Amino acid sequence: MPKGEIVLGCLAPHPPHVVYAENPEQNEPTSEGGWETLRWGYNRLARKLKSIEYDALVIFTPHWQTYIGTHFLGLPEFKSKSVDPVFPNIFRYNYDIKVDVDLAEKMREKASEHGIITKMMRNQDFRVDYGTITSCHMLNPDWDKPIVTISSNRNAHYYSAEVMNEQAAALGRACVEAIEESGKKVVLISSHSLSHRHFVSESPLPEDMSREHIYNHSQYVWDMKLVDLMREGKMKQLIDILPEFTEQTIGETEAGGLTWMMSAMGYPEYSAEIYGYQSVIGTGNLVAAWDPSSVTREIVL
Amino acid sequence: MEDADILFGIYCPPHPQPLLSPDASEGYAKLRQAFDTCRERIESSDADLIIVYSTTWPSIIGHQIQAHPEPEWVHVDDDFHYLGSMPYKFRMDVDFAECLADSAKERGLHSRTIAYEGFPIDTGSVVALKLLNPDNRIPACIVSSNMYSNRAETIVLGKAIRDALAKQGKKAVAVVVSSLSNRMFTEHIDPTEDRIHSSKDDEWNRKILEFFADGRLEDLSQLSREIHGQIRVQKVVAYKPAWWLAATMGQHNNYDGEVLAYEALHGSGGAVVTLTPSSGSFGDKEFDEDDVEFYHGDRDVLDKGML
């Protein structure tokens, strides 16, 4: 069996607004659009994914928060409705998801060998989080590939952002071992915003783009600092400053997803593909990708 | 502020063990027994309404209020999914929910009702309502805990609840769903070996319970910032349950407090406490933080004094 590999890593933020704005048949509310800069970037990345051969999407989500270890979805199918607890007015999505349980179990096994506390989630009534659904829908609206969802262990709350960085990096090393042993071609997804301070009120029409802007300039400057490092291919440096970024911007990077993905990909020293940056209800959101293949890697924006 | 009729208050933990695995440990069984005692007291009261403030329902867009008349789903906890599912069907007081949303707005808060099929009611609210009001004999109202709100906003929310109760002339039981110390063990444990995560957490919990037993709710409210720094995981800006409960129950120390149980829940401090309004004050503190009546929102400090 050939060695498995990571064929692409994606930073894929999950504000439900982007799904709402796309008006897919699975989502009950309908919109007049909005957040085009982000969505068009997503659309282009989704087209690139269509051109890549891969077996599964592996997503690390901040909205499955666990405090007792790292958990993995462990049943082959989940079918239900996801209603966003914060924005139920715009996201009520009927989903039907296939899970690559073999790959999930392999990752859990490797993570356990690395000393990480783990658990398979095998309750059929469990509702898949909206972070997983939003990011996966935007990257693969056909839902024609199985996924693996990994929970976000929130040890940062017990210790520090530095400890979270270390633990997420260890999980990344374990996951890449599992991928290599599986023989599968895998796309990694780190599902989160960058700066993450929200406005606490909403305009009457959520997609009214005349009301949309970043929460404050400090958040914007920090977000751009990270984008610059991504363009320059300095991902180890970016991960090293991530605890400070997280603290300064209430960054959703606190969940550990970006660190996990960069660790699994060996901290790329090549430029990230930048697909789009836009605020959503004040938070800073970037769609980006890391393509290990110099043949298919692009300068997008 | 108008007079409101709060018959009594309950402080109880959000974890699912008392509902799903009460026999797994002696401690969980004691917590379950305490929940049952509270249920009996609610049943024997003439309450019109149960109001739940759950720390496991975070909101961002202001304060959300559950207004679906009969929310129904099967809930599974993110961490304790292996303990089983929690099917629920509750009865909400929609008129009160609408009145509360209006009352909150009148006090400057951003608030809205939510009534969507499949809305994910949180673990804490599900556990509390299934154990305290299993037959839906009394309608309920669930309010969210805004993740950015701090003292002023939380106290004003409590006052808005009193306004709404007074407007509708309803008698209520106020339920706050929260741990005391909320540091859990980070590995899976044998429930029979469950204990409070650290001596420090245990000592703080017991001090808080002394205040509860003495009916010193307003004193606890004033100690919230200290409690947050000492025994609360810093995942939200503040420890808000005592602010909410004190404001909702009238901001004083005149209660008969009763600690029905105090046990560990995977390392966190789980207590079931009741507070019943009484006469006579107990307490030795005076306070210098402003008693906020109206929430004015951001003070726009960043935009002032700009060159």
Side-chain angles (χ1 to χ4, degrees), chain A residues 64 67-68 71 80-81 83 85-86 89 92 121 123 125 127 157-159 196-198 200 202 281, chain B residues 60-62 64 73 76 78-82 85 112 116-120 148 183-184 187 233 235 266:
Chain A
W64 181 10
Y67 285 85
I68 310 163
H71 299 215
S80 186
K81 179 195 279 190
V83 179
V86 175
N89 50 322
R92 304 189 296 280
M121 203 306 297
N123 186 326
D125 295 324
R127 196 144 45 161
H157 294 152
Y158 290 157
Y159 304 107
H196 203 232
R197 181 56 161 96
H198 303 79
V200 294
E202 190 178 54
I281 199 158
Chain B
I60 289 171
I61 306 299
Q64 297 194 141
W73 204 257
V76 177
D78 279 353
D79 255 313
F80 299 107
H81 43 79
Y82 53 90
S85 306
R112 66 180 180 188
Y116 300 104
E117 190 258 335
F119 182 86
Y148 294 114
R183 204 326 182 159
M184 293 197 293
E187 64 271 19
V233 172
K235 60 182 177 181
H266 210 91

Side-chain angles (χ1 to χ4, degrees), chain A residues 49-81:
Chain A
L49 269 174
K50 280 288 183 197
S51 71
I52 292 175
E53 185 189 337
Y54 66 99
D55 300 302
L57 296 156
V58 178
I59 181 165
F60 185 109
T61 174
H63 287 286
W64 181 10
Q65 296 188 15
T66 53
Y67 285 85
I68 310 163
T70 298
H71 299 215
F72 300 79
L73 288 185
L75 290 169
E77 185 174 5
F78 290 89
K79 186 175 182 179
S80 186
K81 179 195 279 190

Side-chain angles (χ1 to χ4, degrees), chain B residues 164-175:
Chain B
L165 285 172
K167 283 178 196 170
Q168 298 208 330
K170 287 178 175 168
K171 297 184 286 294
V173 174
V175 177

